[in-house]
Structures are given as C-alpha cells and as structure tokens.
Amino acid sequence: MTDNMKTPSTGVHPIVPREKLQFNLDDPSIGKHWMGNDAFQSRFWDALSLTFPPGEKYFMNCVRDFRDQIQDPQLLQDIKDFNRQEAQHSMVHRQDNERLRRQGVDVDKHTAYVDDMLNKGFRAKYSKGYNLAITSALEHFTSIIAHSLFDKRDVMKQAHPNVRAMYSWHAIEEVEHKAVAYDVMVDYAKVGYFKRAGALVHATFLFPKIIFVIQRQLMIHDGYTAWQRLNLMRKGIWWLIKPGGLLQPMLKHYWTYYKPGYHPWQETEQPGYEQWLAAFNASGDPIKASEQTRVDMALA
C-alpha cells in the first residue's frame, strides 16, 4: 500500500526557532514534587524530561541520514529549523535535568539508558528507514500532547508555572515541526504504510516503557517503598487513562496516524497555538506567554 497521497496543507504553522529562552528552572520554589505535590505526576514529567536530550539527538540523526538526498529548498530549510528547535529543546531539558541532579538524581545514568537504547541499539539494529519511522511516530506523540496541555480539563493546573511554561513551549514547537520527519520518511526514505503503522505500534509500547522505567527509579530515589510505589502507580495510571485524564484528549489524534494517506498537516485543530503565539510575540517571555495563554483559554 502506498502512503504518498498528501492532503493539501491547510493548517501549516511556520517553524520558528526560539533561542536563549529563560525558564528559571533553578528557581528554589520548584519543589521536588512540583506537580501539586503529587509524586507520580511530578516524576512522570521528570522522567519525560530525562528522555529528551538523547531522544532529540536520535530524531536529528535519523532525519540527517537522508538530508543529502533532498533537493527541495523548503524542506531543507524546514530540516534546518527542525534541528534548531530540537537543539533548544535538548538544552532547556538539560537545564531542567540539572534541577534533578541537585536533588541527587543520577541524571547521567538515566540519559545513558535512553541514549544506549536509541542512538546505539536502534541505530545499529534497524534500517535507516525504520529508525526514521520510529522518529516520525515519536514526533507524533510529542505533537499531539498539545491537545492535553491546552485542554479545558487543565491537566497542568497544579504544576509550578516555570515547569509548566517549559512544557507548553515545547509542545507548541512540536506542533510547528511535526511534519518534517514524516515528509522525509515518506518522500525520501520511501517508508510505506505498513512500516509506518508498525513503527507507531512499536513506539506505543516503547515510549511508556522508557518513561515508567525511569520514573520507577526516581521514586526509589525519593525513598518510596515497593508498596508505596505500587499505590502511587495505581493512582497515577488512573490519572493517565481516566476520562479527563492526561491521555484522553490525545486519543482521537493518535488514531489518525493509522489512516492510509495520512499527513500531519491534515490535523488542523491545534488548541492553544494561536493564543500562545500571540502571548509570546507580545512579551517574548515564555513563562508570561504560558500564563497569559491560560487566561485567554479560561484555564487559569
């Protein structure tokens, strides 16, 4: 089955690298459990932050594998801007991970776990095309998370504003470059429908596995016993999957990836994007932009 049938882009957002942003992630008011004093939720997001520096490197490497084949000047510019955004994401999440290091967390161990799995294991085991398909699948996850972060159910309500601002900015930029890896995958790696869909199935199991492995280690570091961790996981999994939980706003958009002929820019519903962009352009401050977006969307 071919997968080259693109729907004309009707909701494309320009890829705008925003550099040297300040999130003040060393602010002492950011507690260990900065998400409403909830250990599971805080460590869930912290585990996610630990995956980003090696994960972003993997994404950039997998796209770079095909760059020499590309002649289209617009796509080449998109790849350049994609790399600049991903580099900024890595840098900011390293700053966030330094917050964890100050708590005594072995940051290097956790990032090495992800780096070894993706940039060594996957890159050696799988073809360049399949690695790019995994990249596109994971980029799909990171782009649709905007549907949860800017949803009326307000899953980040109890978060520290600085950390909330970091994830809001990251989600916005994932929306902007969500089609780059996909376009390279389909047009240059020539990945067909079944490999693309299979990679999403693979990533659907891979992504939570990585998060939960790291999260478990973080909660052990926090001193929780096995029984306490079991209770935290039980409540936390419900927070993830319950009606109105973190995952529900993403589910409809997750399934669209399996449609033959799918393209990321068929997804034109981008909650929070216009509000965040207007607020950021007005202030140039990602924390102010995050808080103003919450006011404009009646989340605050």
Side-chain angles (χ1 to χ4, degrees):
M1 182 180 295
T2 62
D3 210 35
N4 295 321
M5 300 158 43
K6 294 183 183 178
T7 294
S9 300
T10 56
V12 178
H13 303 299
I15 304 173
V16 181
R18 301 168 181 88
E19 299 170 326
K20 299 181 181 179
L21 301 184
Q22 297 298 320
F23 293 90
N24 301 324
L25 296 167
D26 57 353
D27 188 325
S29 69
I30 304 175
K32 180 184 294 186
H33 297 150
W34 52 268
M35 185 76 164
N37 205 33
D38 187 296
F40 178 94
Q41 294 184 30
S42 301
R43 291 317 198 185
F44 175 88
W45 292 103
D46 288 345
L48 184 60
S49 183
L50 287 162
T51 71
F52 278 124
E56 308 283 19
K57 181 174 78 171
Y58 175 72
F59 298 163
M60 289 187 284
N61 284 338
C62 292
V63 171
R64 193 174 291 124
D65 285 337
F66 296 90
R67 188 172 57 186
D68 291 345
Q69 302 178 28
I70 299 170
Q71 301 299 320
D72 177 20
Q74 183 58 59
L75 183 55
L76 287 170
Q77 184 62 48
D78 287 347
I79 291 171
K80 180 179 178 180
D81 292 336
F82 163 84
N83 286 334
R84 289 175 64 190
Q85 283 191 336
E86 297 291 48
Q88 290 301 304
H89 299 171
S90 293
M91 184 185 73
V92 171
H93 281 283
R94 286 192 184 97
Q95 294 171 4
D96 191 43
N97 295 343
E98 286 302 308
R99 172 179 59 83
L100 303 179
R101 195 188 301 276
R102 289 190 292 272
Q103 298 172 10
V105 171
D106 190 344
V107 168
D108 296 334
K109 179 182 76 171
H110 297 307
T111 56
Y113 162 67
V114 182
D115 194 43
D116 289 346
M117 178 184 295
L118 297 179
N119 290 299
K120 296 178 182 177
F122 275 38
R123 298 272 292 165
K125 181 177 181 180
Y126 300 118
S127 69
K128 291 179 179 179
Y130 189 71
N131 273 290
L132 187 56
I134 291 289
T135 293
S136 182
L138 292 171
E139 285 282 295
H140 181 60
F141 284 130
T142 54
S143 68
I144 64 175
I145 201 169
H147 293 281
S148 288
L149 297 190
F150 298 103
D151 184 79
K152 295 295 185 182
R153 283 160 282 204
D154 199 10
V155 296
M156 296 292 280
K157 180 177 182 178
Q158 299 299 322
H160 190 283
N162 296 23
V163 186
R164 180 169 59 215
M166 176 185 67
Y167 281 107
S168 297
W169 156 76
H170 192 155
I172 291 296
E173 293 199 343
E174 292 295 329
V175 166
E176 291 181 342
H177 69 232
K178 65 182 179 178
V180 174
Y182 188 95
D183 284 342
V184 177
M185 174 188 69
V186 171
D187 295 339
Y188 294 91
K190 303 301 182 183
V191 170
Y193 172 78
F194 292 108
K195 183 180 287 188
R196 168 171 74 79
L200 184 60
V201 174
H202 188 169
T204 299
F205 289 96
L206 172 70
F207 194 48
K209 173 193 171 184
I210 293 172
I211 298 301
F212 288 144
V213 165
I214 298 175
Q215 183 188 32
R216 174 178 177 272
Q217 292 297 317
L218 292 176
M219 292 195 293
I220 290 172
H221 171 79
D222 288 346
Y224 291 105
T225 66
W227 179 250
Q228 288 172 325
R229 294 197 309 274
L230 182 63
N231 281 325
L232 287 170
M233 287 294 291
R234 177 177 56 81
K235 295 176 183 177
I237 294 296
W238 178 241
W239 165 72
L240 286 171
I241 66 173
K242 70 181 180 180
L246 178 67
L247 297 182
Q248 184 182 354
M250 300 166 58
L251 286 177
K252 178 181 73 172
H253 310 282
Y254 165 82
W255 290 110
T256 61
Y257 196 89
Y258 291 108
K259 295 192 312 183
Y262 166 82
H263 187 270
W265 287 124
Q266 293 171 0
E267 174 64 76
T268 59
E269 177 192 346
Q270 300 296 340
Y273 181 84
E274 298 297 339
Q275 292 89 340
W276 187 93
L277 190 64
F280 179 78
N281 288 342
S283 69
D285 184 325
I287 299 175
K288 290 181 180 178
S290 173
E291 295 308 295
Q292 185 61 48
T293 300
R294 291 174 54 73
V295 172
D296 293 342
M297 299 188 71
L299 301 181

